[in-house]
Amino acid sequence: MKTWIDSLRNEHQLPTQAYKELLTCSDADTIEYLHQQAREVSLSHFNNKIYIRGLIEISNCCKNDCYYCGIRKSNSIVERYRLSKEQILSCCKEGYELGFRTFVMQGGEDRAQSVEWVVEVVKDIRTTYPDCAITLSLGELSYQDYKKLYDAGANRFLLRHETFDSSHYKQLHPDNMSAEHRQQCLRWLKEIGFQTGTGIMVGSPFQTIDNIIDDIQFIYDLKPQMIGIGPFIPHKDTPFAKYNAGSIELTLRLISIFRLMFPSVLIPSTTALASLGNDGRLRGILAGANVVMPNLSPCDNRKKYSLYNNKAALGSEAAEGLALLNDQLKTIGYEISFERGDYSI
Ligand code: SAM
């Protein structure tokens, strides 16, 4: 198995069977070897520096009804909010002063925050903070709308494909959503020129190892600049409330596989990983991740952007907890980078 890992590091690709064996392998030494190789690659590309992104959750209103998501349309218990332009700009001001040079605006597909409105917000941020990267994560839009946002000054877009297989996708989403359309959106984003991020939830209900292998293949073909891999975590007020959370170990394994596949890709150690285990964030970094996204949303709103149970948003998960995050990183030999951290080969 170690030969496969060496080959992934050197050739950046493996036959399907080898991925299957890696994902199902129960030998601890082999898995530690995988993580170690991924860590070496990450260190050789980024040194011991971890990029930070300030996450602003701009709205928890959503027209979609994804079965796994706590802010789905049919959840009548969640208290809805949408941030004003002034609130978003004030988050950016606070973030800039703390040292952030990337702002990520994420939200539900909230049509009350029209694309024209988001364009205005992006333009204002671009003018006020010309040295910052603007990342959007606002779901599925038309080619023209993505283009408007890019032309307004947004640089990056995160859109997890969630799962490549269309029948698995159907098990996670209502009929008005499709895997094909989401994948098409990703191709548009790349074509327009966004640094594009995709990814999956690990351990989503009904997911099989073959599904994950399809995801690996899809990501290999897409060649995104960012890859977000986080465990599924149930939310109590969704149809998937009774399902188990995804595995931390499998999530870490995938992070390492993608680090070896794409040495310079940006991989966050996700909030979901941090929410599942106290040391999840650090373990993600030791598996090859090189980005963290502390929460920069107004404190009053953080609890309401509740995608899954017990989502972490305090302490080192919060923008104002950067010093704590840096202390934690130091315990494993890493530190925060205040650079903008664009994708570069
Ligand atoms: N609306 C945008 C979109 O569709 O990409 C961004 C918001 S969406 C809530 C952001 C991500 O949250 C999704 O891509 C999904 O992977 C993740 N997510 C939602 N519910 C989750 C859950 N229960 N467990 C883990 N991740 C979840």
Side-chain angles (χ1 to χ4, degrees), residues 68-69 107 137 139 160 162 182 201 231-233 305 307-308:
Y68 47 83
C69 185
S137 177
R160 288 184 178 176
E162 313 296 1
R182 203 149 173 101
M201 281 177 298
F232 159 76
I233 304 178
Y305 198 81
L307 307 181
Y308 43 79

Side-chain angles (χ1 to χ4, degrees), residues 126 132-135 150 153-157 193-196 340 342:
R126 174 59 51 243
C132 290
I134 302 174
T135 305
Y150 184 78
N155 315 93
R156 308 178 186 148
F157 205 104
F194 278 104
Q195 291 174 49
T196 303
R340 175 174 146 141
D342 281 296

Side-chain angles (χ1 to χ4, degrees), residues 59 62 64 66-71 106-110 137-140 157-162 177 182 199-202 228 230-235 238 240 272 305-309:
S59 167
C62 193
N64 291 332
C66 312
Y67 303 140
Y68 47 83
C69 185
I71 61 168
Q106 188 182 85
E109 293 198 16
D110 180 3
S137 177
L138 301 171
E140 297 176 37
F157 205 104
L158 305 175
L159 183 80
R160 288 184 178 176
H161 68 282
E162 313 296 1
M177 299 178 73
R182 203 149 173 101
I200 62 166
M201 281 177 298
V202 177
F232 159 76
I233 304 178
H235 183 288
T238 63
F240 289 165
Y305 198 81
S306 133
L307 307 181
Y308 43 79
N309 297 335

Side-chain angles (χ1 to χ4, degrees), residues 35-287:
H35 294 326
Q36 185 202 326
Q37 296 303 305
R39 202 153 58 232
E40 275 182 29
V41 169
S42 182
L43 283 167
S44 73
H45 278 262
F46 305 102
N47 293 316
N48 64 340
K49 301 286 189 286
I50 301 298
Y51 294 133
I52 48 166
R53 318 311 195 185
L55 179 63
I56 308 171
E57 296 157 334
I58 67 169
S59 167
N60 72 350
C61 304
C62 193
K63 71 175 178 56
N64 291 332
D65 226 1
C66 312
Y67 303 140
Y68 47 83
C69 185
I71 61 168
R72 65 196 298 266
K73 178 176 71 174
S74 297
N75 181 3
S76 56
I77 296 168
V78 67
E79 195 187 326
R80 304 286 175 175
Y81 74 88
R82 53 178 65 96
L83 300 187
S84 65
K85 182 162 101 172
E86 292 66 35
Q87 281 177 304
I88 296 171
L89 287 167
S90 140
C91 293
C92 293
K93 181 170 185 295
E94 187 192 331
Y96 195 87
E97 283 162 8
L98 288 167
F100 286 91
R101 292 297 176 268
T102 293
F103 304 120
V104 182
M105 285 197 275
Q106 188 182 85
E109 293 198 16
D110 180 3
R111 291 299 168 254
Q113 285 179 337
S114 67
V115 170
E116 285 63 36
W117 180 84
V118 182
V119 161
E120 290 311 309
V121 178
V122 169
K123 280 185 182 164
D124 272 14
I125 300 176
R126 174 59 51 243
T127 311
T128 318
Y129 305 103
D131 53 332
C132 290
I134 302 174
T135 305
L136 301 176
S137 177
L138 301 171
E140 297 176 37
L141 298 169
S142 66
Y143 182 95
Q144 289 75 14
D145 284 345
Y146 284 140
K147 180 87 171 67
K148 283 182 205 163
L149 293 166
Y150 184 78
D151 291 341
N155 315 93
R156 308 178 186 148
F157 205 104
L158 305 175
L159 183 80
R160 288 184 178 176
H161 68 282
E162 313 296 1
T163 180
F164 172 79
D165 181 80
S166 51
S167 41
H168 182 224
Y169 195 92
K170 287 264 169 254
Q171 292 177 296
L172 305 181
H173 303 91
D175 276 346
N176 63 340
M177 299 178 73
S178 77
E180 290 74 14
H181 187 259
R182 203 149 173 101
Q183 291 158 23
Q184 180 60 61
C185 288
L186 283 161
R187 284 186 280 270
W188 286 337
L189 289 164
K190 278 206 84 182
E191 189 185 319
I192 289 167
F194 278 104
Q195 291 174 49
T196 303
T198 193
I200 62 166
M201 281 177 298
V202 177
S204 58
F206 318 110
Q207 184 183 58
T208 64
I209 289 293
D210 286 336
N211 292 150
I212 298 180
I213 290 168
D214 286 346
D215 292 322
I216 293 175
Q217 196 55 52
F218 171 72
I219 292 175
Y220 179 80
D221 293 338
L222 181 72
K223 307 212 179 327
Q225 285 81 28
M226 303 170 282
I227 304 176
I229 305 292
F232 159 76
I233 304 178
H235 183 288
K236 64 183 177 44
D237 303 314
T238 63
F240 289 165
K242 295 278 182 294
Y243 285 85
N244 291 328
S247 137
I248 295 187
E249 280 68 30
L250 192 53
T251 306
L252 297 174
R253 232 175 257 202
L254 281 160
I255 289 175
S256 293
I257 288 174
F258 286 119
R259 172 57 65 217
L260 296 178
M261 184 180 271
F262 298 113
S264 53
V265 78
L266 300 160
I267 305 182
S269 186
T270 57
T271 306
L273 199 49
S275 302
L276 259 198
N278 282 341
D279 55 354
R281 197 68 110 183
L282 299 185
R283 289 179 74 190
I285 286 160
L286 292 172

